[in-house]
Amino acid sequence: MSKHPAALTGGIFFSLAAGMLWGLVFVGPLLLPDYPAALQTFGRYLAFGLIALPLAYIDRADIRRLTPSDWLAALKLAAIGNVLYYLFLSSAILRAGGALPTMIIGTLPVVIAIAANLLNHQRDGRFPWL
């Protein structure tokens, strides 16, 4: 890891920018309340796909090495981890407003860490709470 001040400043800047852009997932449904959650979800991922196409073209040699099972695994992960998640999130925001779903989503990393420490300790070991 570089300890150069410019690299550190750039890293902090891009981290903040990524966080702010991620926050737009909560704003979109509030700005477009007349559009159903499914339409917002698929519009969002259509836009992501169009943005990813030029990047995929750059890495086309690596992409050609992917097997059909790789593509199936990626499709499953995308369907559950992105499309279904955003469909539920945008539906919640459209129904309950922005504050409650945002608060619940914000607690998920802590809840998941606590649950994993309590439920999977035989397999993974216990992590000290401190």
Side-chain angles (χ1 to χ4, degrees):
M1 184 168 134
S2 173
K3 296 191 191 261
H4 192 272
L8 180 62
T9 303
I12 291 171
F13 170 77
F14 285 115
S15 297
L16 289 171
M20 287 187 287
L21 288 173
W22 176 79
L24 291 175
V25 302
F26 301 104
V27 176
L30 295 173
L31 293 175
L32 304 168
D34 295 335
Y35 290 92
L39 185 61
Q40 290 187 37
T41 299
F42 287 100
R44 172 185 171 88
Y45 289 104
L46 176 64
F48 282 173
L50 292 174
I51 292 169
L53 278 176
L55 299 172
Y57 182 77
I58 294 169
D59 288 334
R60 64 190 175 277
D62 291 331
I63 291 173
R64 280 190 203 110
R65 289 194 291 265
L66 296 175
T67 66
S69 64
D70 293 333
W71 285 105
L72 182 61
L75 183 63
K76 288 178 186 178
L77 291 170
I80 294 169
N82 292 319
V83 175
L84 198 59
Y85 164 80
Y86 191 73
L87 177 64
F88 288 165
L89 177 62
S90 57
S91 295
I93 291 170
L94 289 173
R95 286 171 174 72
L100 182 62
T102 303
M103 182 185 70
I104 292 170
I105 294 295
T107 64
L108 280 180
V110 175
V111 170
I112 290 170
I114 291 171
N117 204 23
L118 293 175
L119 299 175
N120 297 327
H121 62 88
Q122 288 88 8
R123 183 188 70 201
D124 301 331
R126 285 203 189 268
F127 295 101
W129 291 107
L130 293 178

